[in-house]
Amino acid sequence: MKILVIGSGGREHAIVWKLSQDDRVEKIYAAPGNGGTACENKCENVNIKINDFNALIKFVKENHIDLTVVGPEDPLSNGIVDAFEKDGLLIFGPNKAAAQMEASKAFAKDVMKNAGIATADYKEFTNYDEAAAYVNKKGAPIVVKADGLAAGKGVTVAATIEEALNALKEIFVDKIFGAENNVVVIEDYMDGEEATYLAFTDGKNIIPLSVSQDHKRVYDDDKGPNTGGMGAYTPAPICDNKKMEHVTNKIAYPMIKELERRGIIYKGVIYAGLMINGDSIKVVEFNCRFGDPECQVVLSRIESGFVDALTASAKGSLDGVKVINKDMTAACVILISGGYPKDYKSGYEISGIADADKIENIKVFHAGTKADNDRILTSGGRVLCVTAISKDLKSTIDKAYEGVAKISFKDMAFRKDIGKKGLNK
Ligand code: GLY
């Protein structure tokens, strides 16, 4: 079997790595991939951009690729699945209509409302004055969400009215997310702990994967600005099996059924961002792809069934497919270029990756790296993802940090408290 993976982050490196473990997979291509995918057994990087659908389709046809797996949300919301399926090609991920669950906050809230899915109360606005009047009436804390994709920067959890008004000004007046991004969802603030539920679906069946917890803030103790994710661990004790079943039955199934009622078949990964507060479980957001870095830990636990689930979901029937997890915990620590998520410098040589990879049950996934002859250099904000698995969470975390200690580059920074929340449960 030949598989193309689209994307270039740690998530896509983890997908390539997991695919390469299946004997039925003879060749993997990553477009464009990264320094890590290039070194992975069976994998070759191809220099095609993630939104160049014509070039990707041509490559898939010429190389007789059996399945394409899409990592990031951008090509999904631009309709890559529709384009591939129109040409009769097998591709894993939701089509453009289904990807609106991530690409439009207003669409997702409307689906949740109609499906009876627990989420924060909200109102939708298309101009500054009405939105500002609503914020002044409701008070803070309050959440302001730009409707469209905004590279993870579209959500402001405003602690004060001033912060909320500033977020509205940026969207409506300064148009920082573009002139066409002119719908805003204003939501009630939700208290609790966040967790990520991931599941495979074919539009009718759901196969839940492990629930994980991401660490979004840049500094320890959840301080500082939001990032794409500084580390994750799974399973998350805050969402035990009973709660997970509740999420499957009261959130994931109602979501795909409501979409089906609207004539939309959702295939691919369901990402439900949850807010858990005691027995209350509400949805913060839906995404239409694996989370990054949640993917790195969730895939590390999968024992078997990954390739079958991807293929069956793409074909539209998960009937009979089983995904089995190892009875292990997984944790990952993201190594960043100091300064990220704001300004940072790159181009620094990284040492110690091979030493960390040599430790049993450690895998280093690449994100912002690039090869320069024999050297690996930093080339982005989130550089590496040191991932460990072990029997219990404490030893998993210790192992991940043992791997981190082997690696160094100029300005390297990371959180020291990944997984700590899970230990206290
Ligand atoms: N780690 C958060 C996300 O992938 O959206």
Side-chain angles (χ1 to χ4, degrees):
M1 195 177 181
K2 290 185 185 171
I3 302 181
L4 170 67
V5 176
I6 294 176
S8 61
R11 167 182 51 206
E12 288 75 24
H13 186 184
I15 293 171
V16 165
W17 167 79
K18 197 72 208 168
L19 291 171
S20 72
Q21 292 165 7
D22 193 308
D23 289 341
R24 295 167 297 175
V25 177
E26 59 185 277
K27 180 81 192 172
I28 306 164
Y29 296 97
N34 61 33
T37 56
C39 298
E40 221 42 71
N41 184 20
K42 305 181 191 174
C43 187
E44 187 182 324
N45 285 354
V46 286
N47 191 15
I48 306 178
K49 293 200 170 66
I50 60 171
N51 281 308
D52 190 346
F53 300 167
N54 288 338
L56 290 166
I57 287 173
K58 184 164 175 277
F59 181 82
V60 164
K61 287 184 176 167
E62 282 173 3
N63 290 280
H64 309 288
I65 285 163
D66 303 289
L67 173 70
T68 298
V69 181
V70 188
E73 62 277 18
D74 213 40
L76 292 168
S77 65
N78 287 334
I80 190 168
V81 171
D82 311 63
F84 270 58
E85 288 185 342
K86 197 161 147 239
D87 270 21
L89 301 172
L90 196 63
I91 182 162
F92 173 80
N95 64 16
K96 185 172 180 163
Q100 288 180 95
M101 287 305 294
E102 174 161 3
S104 168
K105 307 290 176 225
F107 177 83
K109 290 299 269 190
D110 192 56
V111 168
M112 286 188 250
K113 193 166 84 183
N114 281 282
I117 295 170
T119 186
D121 284 343
Y122 75 105
K123 263 194 180 325
E124 209 180 300
F125 295 92
T126 51
N127 70 70
Y128 177 85
D129 290 342
E130 285 174 23
Y134 182 73
V135 163
N136 279 314
K137 193 176 97 201
K138 290 285 281 189
I142 196 158
V143 180
V144 177
K145 292 181 170 177
D147 180 57
L149 291 181
K153 298 186 194 102
V155 177
T156 302
V157 180
T160 61
I161 289 182
E162 289 65 40
E163 249 182 83
L165 294 177
N166 188 48
L168 292 174
K169 179 178 162 287
E170 285 183 339
I171 298 165
F172 285 124
V173 182
D174 305 339
K175 300 190 191 306
I176 61 166
F177 302 122
E180 63 295 339
N181 208 337
N182 58 1
V183 176
V184 162
V185 167
I186 302 181
E187 276 187 4
D188 290 355
Y189 173 79
M190 289 189 280
D191 223 350
E193 241 182 78
E194 287 192 56
T196 304
Y197 168 97
L198 294 175
F200 287 120
T201 184
D202 56 9
K204 288 206 182 300
N205 301 293
I206 284 171
I207 301 180
L209 298 165
S210 329
V211 173
S212 52
Q213 276 195 299
D214 184 13
H215 297 59
K216 292 207 170 85
R217 307 285 185 144
V218 72
Y219 304 128
D220 286 8
D221 298 320
D222 292 332
K223 301 260 163 51
N226 266 340
T227 68
M230 294 293 291
Y233 73 98
T234 186
I238 185 135
C239 192
D240 58 17
N241 287 343
K242 194 165 153 245
K243 285 194 173 122
M244 205 167 150
E245 211 173 297
H246 173 90
V247 177
T248 302
N249 293 327
K250 302 289 181 197
I251 291 172
Y253 271 114
M255 188 271 257
I256 56 170
K257 282 190 186 142
E258 170 60 20
L259 288 176
E260 191 185 6
R261 196 186 65 75
R262 297 173 185 219
I264 300 170
I265 304 299
Y266 189 116
K267 296 189 291 179
V269 177
I270 297 174
Y271 173 128
L274 309 171
M275 186 63 80
I276 304 181
N277 195 343
D279 284 337
S280 151
I281 306 180
K282 292 185 176 173
V283 174
V284 178
E285 62 178 356
F286 280 106
N287 291 323
C288 63
R289 34 85 195 167
F290 287 112
D292 186 341
E294 293 97 321
C295 179
Q296 289 87 311
V297 287
V298 169
L299 265 50
S300 294
R301 280 192 80 221
I302 294 180
E303 172 88 58
S304 63
F306 184 58
V307 174
D308 301 280
L310 296 175
T311 310
S313 161
K315 285 185 177 163
S317 175
L318 282 167
D319 288 337
V321 174
K322 281 202 162 44
V323 178
I324 311 282
N325 281 321
K326 296 173 189 164
D327 185 18
M328 306 276 260
T329 62
C332 70
V333 180
I334 303 286
L335 307 184
I336 59 167
S337 300
Y340 169 83
K342 299 207 170 84
D343 294 341
Y344 59 84
K345 292 201 175 110
S346 13
Y348 299 128
E349 184 170 358
I350 308 171
S351 65
I353 297 177
D355 293 329
D357 260 333
K358 263 190 229 141
I359 302 173
E360 199 190 358
N361 287 334
I362 288 218
K363 176 71 195 170
V364 182
F365 297 114
H366 291 231
T369 68
K370 70 170 183 212
D372 173 49
N373 296 314
D374 285 344
R375 302 184 311 158
I376 300 279
L377 306 180
T378 63
S379 68
R382 294 203 295 169
V383 178
L384 294 167
C385 172
V386 183
T387 308
I389 58 166
S390 186
K391 269 282 172 209
D392 63 275
L393 185 57
K394 169 84 175 67
S395 54
T396 303
I397 294 166
D398 289 348
K399 191 172 261 296
Y401 282 106
E402 190 189 330
V404 169
K406 300 278 182 200
I407 298 174
S408 63
F409 54 87
K410 190 167 183 300
D411 293 349
M412 177 173 117
F414 56 91
R415 271 181 67 157
K416 320 259 181 326
D417 63 347
I418 301 301
K420 213 164 125 189
K421 279 182 215 170
L423 291 177
N424 302 331
K425 299 258 155 30

